[in-house]
Amino acid sequence: GAGVSQSPSNKVTEKGKDVELRCDPISGHTALYWYRQSLGQGLEFLIYFQGNSAPDKSGLPSDRFSAERTGGSVSTLTIQRTQQEDSAVYLCASSLVGAPVRFFGPGTRLTVL
Amino acid sequence: DAKTTQPTSMDCAEGRAANLPCNHSTISGNEYVYWYRQIHSQGPQYIIHGLKNNETNEMASLIITEDRKSSTLILPHATLRDTAVYYCIVRVANQAGTALIFGKGTTLSVSS
């Protein structure tokens, strides 16, 4: 595709359930980022994948959060045992390593009831 | 530790230049200065970046002081649509780059 895509666009889940959010980066982009933004808050960095290097997981808020990137392309962010405070828009971005991060996906709006 | 310091908010009249300051006194020699903005309910948007020379593109100009400890983003003719949160970020941009971390930014309000 021409841009970063994310799915689903909206996800409503019940507290305690696991969710998986998907990000398809721009083809050839070796750097991939996950962020989340709670209502009225700023952008919170979650995790950064860079090529074959070990990901920077320093932003993950708890061990309920994990992410993987298969084959250097698609990434999945998994939240286990969701809590109401996990409700937010989850954004993905990709870039060439060393280049400005210009391309953000449309986000997945997660609502935990 | 925050690498950048920005005012919480600024106001600007439509049609005037908006000058948004950023302090980054601990910037390293291999760190670039990046500016992004986020308009309400939209995703972040890249604006401009620079290392030590002043930069200009179709959106804005970036002025970096000679000691690189501060910079100013200039929107030459602000419009109502420029109302947004503006983020100044310092970041290494090489093969071993670091994550792009957004701080609290400056909320710019452009009014008519």
Side-chain angles (χ1 to χ4, degrees):
Chain A
V4 179
S5 60
Q6 293 184 245
S7 60
S9 54
N10 280 284
K11 176 71 176 180
V12 180
T13 191
E14 293 180 347
K15 177 181 173 181
K17 300 283 189 182
D18 297 352
V19 295
E20 284 190 352
L21 311 180
R22 177 186 168 110
C23 172
D24 285 84
I26 292 173
S27 178
H29 280 190
T30 52
L32 186 147
Y33 307 78
W34 281 98
Y35 296 88
R36 75 174 176 181
Q37 189 164 33
S38 302
L39 187 64
Q41 301 300 308
L43 286 152
E44 179 184 3
F45 164 72
L46 296 177
I47 189 168
Y48 166 47
F49 293 93
Q50 177 192 264
N52 295 322
S53 302
D56 179 351
K57 303 181 181 180
S58 60
L60 295 178
S62 77
D63 59 7
R64 296 188 296 106
F65 288 73
S66 62
E68 61 179 25
R69 189 175 185 193
T70 54
S73 181
V74 172
S75 177
T76 302
L77 178 69
T78 301
I79 309 173
Q80 295 179 309
R81 305 181 301 282
T82 53
Q83 304 294 313
Q84 289 183 329
E85 59 264 29
D86 299 334
S87 296
V89 175
Y90 288 79
L91 288 163
C92 175
S94 73
S95 75
L96 296 170
V97 172
V101 181
R102 298 175 190 263
F103 304 99
F104 287 80
T108 293
R109 182 175 297 279
L110 175 66
T111 303
V112 182
L113 301 177
Chain B
D1 290 337
K3 286 194 166 186
T4 65
T5 305
Q6 298 178 252
T8 303
S9 62
M10 293 184 65
D11 295 319
C12 181
E14 188 177 23
R16 304 297 293 269
N19 298 287
L20 292 95
C22 180
N23 287 322
H24 31 79
S25 58
T26 61
I27 192 170
S28 301
N30 61 348
E31 287 183 315
Y32 287 69
V33 179
Y34 292 81
W35 283 85
Y36 287 78
R37 73 180 182 183
Q38 188 173 26
I39 296 170
H40 183 61
S41 298
Q42 296 184 23
Q45 179 185 23
Y46 163 82
I47 302 173
I48 199 166
H49 77 287
L51 183 62
K52 52 184 175 182
N53 296 324
N54 298 337
E55 302 287 344
T56 296
N57 63 20
E58 66 281 1
M59 290 184 68
S61 294
L62 174 61
I63 308 298
I64 302 174
T65 57
E66 191 168 342
D67 63 7
R68 302 212 319 126
K69 293 185 177 182
S70 65
S71 61
T72 302
L73 179 74
I74 301 172
L75 307 178
H77 305 287
T79 70
L80 299 178
R81 288 174 294 180
D82 291 322
T83 292
V85 180
Y86 287 77
Y87 298 95
C88 170
I89 302 168
V90 296
R91 176 183 182 235
V92 176
N94 60 19
Q95 196 66 18
T98 55
L100 186 68
I101 307 294
F102 291 83
K104 296 188 182 302
T106 296
T107 299
L108 175 68
S109 300
V110 181
S111 56
S112 57

